Amino acid sequence: MLEANFNEMKSKILIVEDEAAIREMLGYTLMKEGYVCQEAADVEQARAIVLKDRPDLILLDWMLPGVSGIDFARRLRSDTDTRNIPIIMLTAKGEEDDKIRGLDTGVDDYITKPFSTKELLARLRAVMRRYSNEGQLGIIEIDGLVLDPETYRVTARDKIIEISPTEFKLLHFFITHPERVYSRSQLLDHVWGQNVYVEERTVDVHIRRLRKTLEPFGFDRLIQTVRSVGYRFSTR
Ligand code: CA
């Protein structure tokens, strides 16, 4: 049960929508589908969430009080840290001109309100698939530590490291989210998935194993314990 499939990693979706009824409906629908949802009623809240806990995709309403959705999308695209977060815009009917404007901004797709759950999920999956394919094709390398998500193979300075699927997922998560501290419960959500019942100390067990696996190559130092908070992957 711990060795969950790599593809089953729960994706985190940030819903930015000022109308509470729509926001809650979206959250409920996506949660039922196994996504982890975060909700924001305006750009200010959304920005705080993005900085604190980078979402895998943003569902972004166009018409928001204060800063509009499209201006927020533009900001996200211009910042190297947030440039690669997929964005699906929610627009009202008849804003065709706006759609064109938005596509210029680099938004990934559009959903026109009102929309069906089926359409929402289909578009969401399509965008996610596009990104995850792009993400997974690339072999990740840091300081001679190489991860190949296609083969689950890890090599350290050209030597193959024997690694279990869970340790691989943990290492893959760390290496793709460097320099940030994650609590045990955040790691459980990201690596094991939210609907899996695992105790928090399980994280410690796997961190210990992962460090042991990496130790002969000196890479164990990349996984740092942050006292009373959690863990961080850092090359510094
Ligand atoms: Ca709105």
Side-chain angles (χ1 to χ4, degrees):
M1 182 149 138
L2 294 182
E3 314 295 336
N5 191 298
F6 187 66
N7 295 320
E8 285 170 12
M9 269 171 77
K10 299 282 179 279
S11 299
K12 232 179 340 166
I13 297 178
L14 169 60
I15 302 160
V16 191
E17 165 65 76
D18 56 315
E19 282 165 74
I22 299 179
R23 194 173 62 235
E24 282 158 19
M25 181 272 288
L26 285 167
Y28 176 73
T29 305
L30 296 176
M31 234 133 69
K32 245 178 32 186
E33 289 296 314
Y35 293 104
V36 177
C37 292
Q38 299 160 302
E39 295 181 17
D42 56 35
V43 165
E44 201 181 325
Q45 285 178 14
R47 193 182 296 126
I49 292 172
V50 169
L51 289 176
K52 189 168 153 272
D53 191 16
R54 182 193 164 93
D56 296 308
L57 184 142
I58 303 175
L59 273 181
L60 182 57
D61 184 31
W62 187 293
M63 296 295 283
L64 291 167
V67 181
S68 74
I70 197 66
D71 283 335
F72 183 47
R74 202 170 284 129
R75 284 185 204 178
L76 290 168
R77 286 293 180 253
S78 65
D79 186 333
T80 46
D81 287 342
T82 55
R83 177 167 293 160
N84 296 325
I85 303 177
I87 300 171
I88 298 178
M89 294 285 312
L90 304 174
T91 64
K93 230 179 176 145
E95 292 173 335
E96 302 299 322
D97 289 351
D98 288 347
K99 285 191 186 181
I100 295 160
R101 212 145 54 86
L103 286 173
D104 288 343
T105 314
V107 163
D108 295 278
D109 203 358
Y110 279 90
I111 301 177
T112 307
K113 291 191 250 185
F115 48 83
S116 69
T117 302
K118 210 174 138 190
E119 184 192 358
L120 168 73
L121 294 174
R123 285 177 184 273
L124 209 101
R125 283 193 202 105
V127 170
M128 299 279 243
R129 204 178 305 125
R130 208 153 75 214
Y131 272 80
S132 75
N133 285 342
E134 281 170 11
Q136 290 205 7
L137 281 177
I139 287 173
I140 305 158
E141 199 253 310
I142 287 183
D143 291 349
L145 180 67
V146 180
L147 260 79
D148 183 350
E150 284 209 340
T151 59
Y152 269 57
R153 182 161 278 176
V154 180
T155 54
R157 304 200 179 90
D158 300 327
K159 285 205 180 74
I160 291 173
I161 299 181
E162 293 294 331
I163 193 163
S164 77
T166 300
E167 268 84 71
F168 182 92
K169 279 169 51 183
L170 195 55
L171 183 58
H172 185 270
F173 177 76
F174 274 132
I175 215 166
T176 51
H177 299 76
E179 310 300 338
R180 276 171 52 180
V181 185
Y182 290 92
S183 68
R184 286 165 182 81
S185 76
Q186 282 174 326
L187 287 170
L188 279 178
D189 285 352
H190 287 290
V191 179
W192 280 261
Q194 241 191 1
N195 300 323
V196 180
Y197 180 74
V198 186
E199 284 178 69
E200 291 198 356
R201 61 169 186 211
T202 304
V203 174
D204 300 323
V205 171
H206 284 275
I207 292 271
R208 208 151 51 227
R209 283 190 201 156
L210 181 57
R211 280 181 174 147
K212 218 174 155 197
T213 306
L214 299 174
E215 200 183 352
F217 310 92
F219 287 117
D220 53 312
R221 66 182 166 82
L222 300 178
I223 294 152
Q224 303 172 349
T225 303
V226 182
R227 245 203 148 87
S228 69
V229 186
Y231 297 99
R232 169 176 59 209
F233 182 90
S234 176
T235 50
R236 287 176 203 160

